């Protein structure tokens, strides 16, 4: 099992001044005082490793669910095999493309230092960054890797265009002209927290590609967790929640496959995140239709019970989601459909969850209940288009999240 690694929370010290490399970072606010409240506003769960680009600058574009008075970034070497050296990390509000909003570039530090080495198997949190951000903002989180630190931990299926400057430390440049290469993965970044958000905490959407956003429009933030965040932002702060997307395309509940299994990554990707109050679990379709496929509904029930028990030990509620149809997909068989139906019957009966959201009922074709409604089908009879993603988000009762 791939270990989650420990989260190292840095001291609340911020050192500001000249930027790094070829650019200049600006500063305008004092460091926040300690003992304030941090809330998770964005997440990308590590899904694997890929070839690193030594000497490159990675500019990740991330879309925040709630705003706050300052930010901090969670960087990851969780799946790496060697220490990861970063000699520059910056945070800025996004203008357009890889360009930063003028005057918003900030240098992130680690115990006051601008460089850091993250051991293999671990995540690290920056010092507070004095950059206030609004809900729905796009941030640019840029890291420069000066040398070969082994395989890069990343989130493969971002559904977002990100940027790469193949050579040189361009982390502090507001002008994005050096970022001549694009990628649809997020590199080395796994989360963003905000300080004193007008919110009561956060909710983690914990799942596979259906949660990760496969099938929705790239660069549009139309995944169902994004749509849920839009709904939650209409509520008063006492009921509002940040939304963290812990979906991994290809992920399984019961076994390792793409990324650590749901059972092995629960703590790192859900329970340890800042301000988490509730987790929504949509996991299991890949176990049913994958190779080897899981055929025993009791194994799913036991896994769900384990997830809930572990979450309850942290005071976190868990909502279970029924498994959605995939008739017409290449992985479909009648025998596998019978397993899905039995799991859903057990979930609707209550099972171990604090509440259940019936995604299956919301998106299935009433004429062919083993299939997605054509209006919601991305085309592969498994994943949802933008309308289907909205239907999933609209099915979540906001009262169940309180």
């Amino acid at each position: 099992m791939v270990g989650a690694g420990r989260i190292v929370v840095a001291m609340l010290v911020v050192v500001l001044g000249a930027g790094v490399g070829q650019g200049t970072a600006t500063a305008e606010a004092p460091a926040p005082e300690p003992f304030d409240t941090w809330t998770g506003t964005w997440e990308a769960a590590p899904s694997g490793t890929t070839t690193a680009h030594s000497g490159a600058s990675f500019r990740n574009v991330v879309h925040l669910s709630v705003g706050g008075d300052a930010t901090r970034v969670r960087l990851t070497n969780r799946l790496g095999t060697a220490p990861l050296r970063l000699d520059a990390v910056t945070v800025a509000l996004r203008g357009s493309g890889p360009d930063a909003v003028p005057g918003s570039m900030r240098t992130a530090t680690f115990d006051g230092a601008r460089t850091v080495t993250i051991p293999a198997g671990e995540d690290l949190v920056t010092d507070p960054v004095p950059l206030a951000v609004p809900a729905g903002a796009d941030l640019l989180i840029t890291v420069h890797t000066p040398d070969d630190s082994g395989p890069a931990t990343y989130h493969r299926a971002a559904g977002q265009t990100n940027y790469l400057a193949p050579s040189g430390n361009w982390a502090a440049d507001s002008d994005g002209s050096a970022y001549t290469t694009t990628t649809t993965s997020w590199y080395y970044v796994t989360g963003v927290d905000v300080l004193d958000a007008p919110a009561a905490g956060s909710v983690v959407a914990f799942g596979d590609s259906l949660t990760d956003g496969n099938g929705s429009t790239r660069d549009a933030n139309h995944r169902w967790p994004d749509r849920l965040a839009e709904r939650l932002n209409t509520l008063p702060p006492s009921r509002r929640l940040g939304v963290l997307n812990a979906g991994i395309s290809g992920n399984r509940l019961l076994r390792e496959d793409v990324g650590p299994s749901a059972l092995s990554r629960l703590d790192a990707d859900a329970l340890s995140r800042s301000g988490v109050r509730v987790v929504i679990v949509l996991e299991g379709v890949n176990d049913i239709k994958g190779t080897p496929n899981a055929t025993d509904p009791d194994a799913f029930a036991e896994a769900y019970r384990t997830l809930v028990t572990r979450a309850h030990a942290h005071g976190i509620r868990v909502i279970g989601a029924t498994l959605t149809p995939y008739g017409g997909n290449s992985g479909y068989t009648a025998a596998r459909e019978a397993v899905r139906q039995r799991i859903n019957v057990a979930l609707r009966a209550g099972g171990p969850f604090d509440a259940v959201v019936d995604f299956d009922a919301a998106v299935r074709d009433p004429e062919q209940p083993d299939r997605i409604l054509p209006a919601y089908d991305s085309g592969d009879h498994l994943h949802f288009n933008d309308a289907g993603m909205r239907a999933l988000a609209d099915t979540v009762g906001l009262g169940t999240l309180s």
Side-chain angles (χ1 to χ4, degrees):
M1 174 172 86
V2 180
R6 60 184 175 90
I7 304 268
V8 182
V9 181
M11 293 173 60
L12 297 180
V13 179
V14 176
V15 176
L16 299 169
V20 291
Q22 289 95 332
T24 300
T26 61
E28 61 183 24
E33 294 296 324
F35 311 118
D36 291 302
T37 301
W38 290 95
T39 300
T41 185
W42 176 87
E43 176 180 356
S47 65
T49 59
T50 190
T51 302
H53 297 266
S54 301
S57 297
F58 296 88
R59 180 151 285 183
N60 300 282
V61 179
V62 308
H63 186 71
L64 307 185
S65 56
V66 292
D69 296 336
T71 59
R72 66 184 183 187
V73 178
R74 294 177 179 234
L75 299 163
T76 184
N77 189 28
R78 196 186 308 165
L79 306 180
T81 57
L84 169 64
R85 190 161 76 93
L86 304 176
D87 68 350
V89 178
T90 62
V91 181
L93 290 167
R94 184 193 191 192
S96 62
D99 295 339
V101 171
S104 70
M105 185 66 70
R106 303 287 187 271
T107 298
T109 59
F110 307 83
D111 247 0
R114 297 182 189 177
T115 64
V116 71
T117 298
I118 306 176
E122 295 189 7
D123 293 354
L124 186 70
V125 180
T126 69
D127 298 333
V129 177
L131 179 65
V133 294
D138 283 350
L139 281 189
L140 299 177
I141 300 173
T142 308
V143 301
H144 179 250
T145 54
D147 45 33
D148 185 1
S149 296
T153 297
Y154 78 147
H155 182 93
R156 182 183 61 82
Q160 170 66 55
T161 301
N162 300 294
Y163 301 93
L164 173 67
S167 179
N169 182 356
W170 303 93
D173 271 35
S174 293
D175 179 354
S177 59
Y179 293 85
T180 56
T181 301
T182 61
T183 175
T184 55
S185 300
W186 284 303
Y187 283 76
Y188 302 118
V189 59
T190 185
V192 178
D193 300 335
V194 289
L195 181 68
D196 290 341
S202 59
V203 54
V204 176
F206 192 74
D208 50 34
S209 59
L210 303 178
T211 298
D212 208 2
N214 287 27
S216 64
T217 301
R218 182 184 297 173
D219 298 327
N221 301 306
H222 286 171
R223 311 163 191 87
W224 74 258
D226 297 316
R227 294 302 202 183
L228 178 61
E230 293 172 3
R231 294 181 63 208
L232 286 164
N233 273 327
T234 67
L235 298 179
S238 62
R239 295 182 58 204
R240 194 177 305 157
L241 296 170
V243 179
L244 305 180
N245 189 333
I248 296 178
S249 297
N251 199 231
R252 293 194 184 195
L253 175 68
L254 302 173
R255 59 184 299 133
E256 313 293 306
D257 193 346
V258 180
S261 72
L263 287 169
S264 62
R265 70 186 183 92
L266 179 69
D267 289 89
D269 290 339
L271 305 185
S272 66
R273 298 289 167 152
S274 296
V276 174
R277 300 291 181 265
V278 61
V279 177
I280 302 174
V281 177
L282 175 59
E283 285 264 17
V285 166
N286 288 327
D287 296 84
I288 295 171
K289 73 179 188 64
T291 303
N293 60 299
T295 60
D296 181 7
D298 290 340
F300 288 81
E302 180 59 30
Y304 292 142
R305 279 193 294 271
T306 299
L307 293 177
V308 171
T309 298
R310 287 165 58 188
H312 282 178
H314 292 262
I316 296 170
R317 299 178 66 248
V318 186
I319 297 173
T322 53
L323 304 183
T324 53
Y326 62 100
N329 182 265
S330 60
Y332 177 89
T333 68
R336 293 173 182 179
E337 173 64 7
V339 175
R340 185 183 75 90
Q341 292 289 356
R342 288 180 62 191
I343 292 169
N344 283 350
V345 167
L347 289 177
R348 291 187 183 103
F353 293 108
D354 298 295
V356 175
V357 57
D358 201 342
F359 281 170
D360 172 50
V363 300
R364 70 190 179 208
D365 185 341
E367 301 299 323
Q368 296 178 288
D370 63 342
R371 289 177 176 255
I372 301 169
L373 271 169
Y376 296 158
D377 194 340
S378 69
D380 65 3
H381 312 300
L382 171 65
H383 299 100
F384 301 101
N385 59 20
D386 292 352
M389 291 289 180
R390 182 179 289 278
L392 292 178
D394 288 348
T395 305
V396 179
L398 299 186
T400 66
L401 303 180
S402 300

